[in-house]
Structures are given as structure tokens and as C-alpha cells.
Amino acid sequence: MLRGELLTALAQFGHGITQNEARRRFDAFLNDKNTPPLPPDIRKAAYVAVMRNVSTSNRLGYELLLKVYRETDQSQEKARILGSLACCSDPDIVLEVLYFLLSPEVRSQDAVYGIHVNIEGRETAWRWLKDNWDHISKTWGSGFLITRFVSAIVSPFSSWEKACEVEEFFASRGKPSISRTLKQSVERVHINAKWVQSIQNEKHLAEVVQELAQRKY
């Protein structure tokens, strides 16, 4: 079960060999959806590798993944694709993906699969959440899914300033259904901020990392 997670992480972090192999297998998958080189358990790694190379000037991979999404009738495959689309490093593409989640093409219960963005898309996702909060609150506010929007977009931040910004935004928009999740998410931001601060205070960390990187095991 960890194999797919590991390959996805390598694709996400830009490991060249993994990305090249993933795209090669994705090309084979486009010609044959049952191709042995790309079984379901590692498809997300391929999808992430494709999206990590997508930009406003090079949209082909994004368009191909949307084509696969629209052609498949398997809910698990749709969820897998939705969970990969926002891995792009281009903020404009990330924003397009987030608005795609609100479109009729995505079932309301599936939208939460696509809101997990990478580090380059955090600010974009936060602005999107604020701009569309009224619609999101109206659409998902009666169930537990709305808490996923809050936790997925707020929790990854790592600064005291962002925690204050989140609290200020929700001060007049809070509701009982998200109060606990909002509190936990802000606490997570505080924890992340403390961790960043402790790392920054490590005077010799850069030298240690460089030394470890040069070692041969």
C-alpha cells in the first residue's frame, strides 16, 4: 500500500526519474486504459507527475486528464484524478481546477477530493475559499463535508499572521458545524509556525543537511 504513496511523493517533489517514467506510463495508459504498466494503485503518481509539468503555456497534460475524467464511469477513478489536478505549481491552473470543482461536472460529494493543493497553491486556494465561501457554505453547510474545505485549505499554513487572518475572516462567518474544525485547523497552523520557527533557529541545520546529502550509503 505504501508503494503508491511513495511514488506519488517522489513525483510531487520533482524526482526526475520518477516523473519521466510516470509520464511514459501515462502515455501508454492513454492508448490502453487496461495497460499493465499503470495499474490503479500507482495511477495517482502518474497523474501527479503529469500535473507537475502543466502550466498556463503548456496545458496538454491537464486537458488529457480532464478527458480521462470525463470518459470514465468509475467513481474511484474520478476521485483519483480530482485528487491530482491541484498538484500543479502554476497558480492560474490551480485556480481553474478549484473552480472546476464547483462546476456541474463534479458531484458535490466529490469536490473535496480536489481541494488538497501543494505549497505553491496554498494562497490561491485560500483566496478562492474566501471568494466562494457563501456558495460553499450554502452548498455544503448542512453536512460534514464543509469541514473538509476548512481543514484542507487552512491547516497547511505555517505562520502566526495567517492564523490571525483566518480567525478574522471566520469571526463573522462562523457556524456551529465548522467551529471545532476551525479551531483545530488554527491550532495546526500555530503548531506549524512553531515548527518553522524552531527550524529557523537551528544554526547548523544547513551544514548537517548538506553533509548528509553528500554521503554515500
Side-chain angles (χ1 to χ4, degrees):
M1 291 178 65
L2 290 176
R3 180 167 176 258
E5 295 292 333
L6 178 59
L7 291 173
T8 300
L10 287 170
Q12 179 72 52
F13 291 135
H15 185 249
I17 296 175
T18 301
Q19 288 192 338
N20 292 336
E21 180 63 19
R23 290 197 297 272
R24 184 188 72 80
R25 296 190 184 205
F26 178 70
D27 290 340
F29 173 74
L30 292 176
N31 295 322
D32 178 10
K33 297 300 187 296
N34 296 313
T35 183
L38 195 62
D41 62 325
I42 62 171
R43 280 181 196 167
K44 186 173 181 179
Y47 298 162
V48 167
V50 169
M51 287 306 302
R52 291 300 288 168
N53 288 274
V54 167
S55 64
T56 305
S57 59
N58 180 21
R59 297 171 51 91
L60 179 60
Y62 176 47
E63 300 294 345
L64 289 172
L65 269 177
L66 285 181
K67 184 174 185 293
V68 176
Y69 175 87
R70 288 161 177 156
E71 290 178 349
T72 185
D73 57 358
Q74 298 179 13
S75 58
Q76 188 175 12
E77 188 68 11
K78 287 182 179 292
R80 191 179 292 120
I81 295 172
L82 290 175
S84 308
L85 291 178
C87 292
C88 181
S89 60
D90 189 318
D92 292 333
I93 297 294
V94 171
L95 186 61
E96 186 174 338
V97 169
L98 292 171
Y99 275 106
F100 175 71
L101 299 177
L102 303 182
S103 73
E105 289 193 74
V106 180
R107 297 187 305 175
S108 60
Q109 65 266 35
D110 291 345
V112 293
Y113 292 123
I115 57 178
H116 297 275
V117 301
N118 57 7
I119 189 171
E120 298 97 337
R122 288 176 186 172
E123 285 293 341
T124 299
W126 172 235
R127 290 195 299 271
W128 170 82
L129 183 70
K130 292 188 291 183
D131 291 342
N132 296 278
W133 179 252
D134 289 341
H135 172 74
I136 291 170
S137 181
K138 181 180 179 181
T139 305
W140 288 275
S142 59
F144 75 95
L145 289 176
I146 192 170
T147 63
R148 300 275 294 277
F149 285 89
V150 176
S151 61
I153 293 176
V154 172
S155 295
F157 284 116
S158 56
S159 72
W160 313 107
E161 294 79 11
K162 188 59 65 177
C164 292
E165 183 182 333
V166 169
E167 290 178 318
E168 181 179 348
F169 175 78
F170 283 107
S172 60
R173 298 171 178 84
K175 53 198 317 183
S177 60
I178 68 167
S179 59
R180 181 178 180 183
T181 298
L182 178 60
K183 181 180 179 180
Q184 292 173 336
S185 298
V186 172
E187 287 177 352
R188 172 52 58 183
V189 178
H190 287 161
I191 293 171
N192 293 342
K194 289 181 181 179
W195 181 82
V196 170
Q197 187 179 56
S198 68
I199 292 298
Q200 291 173 339
N201 291 335
E202 290 284 349
K203 296 181 180 180
H204 304 292
L205 181 61
E207 291 85 349
V208 172
V209 172
Q210 186 175 11
E211 180 184 348
L212 290 173
Q214 293 175 346
R215 289 183 181 180
K216 295 182 180 181
Y217 296 94

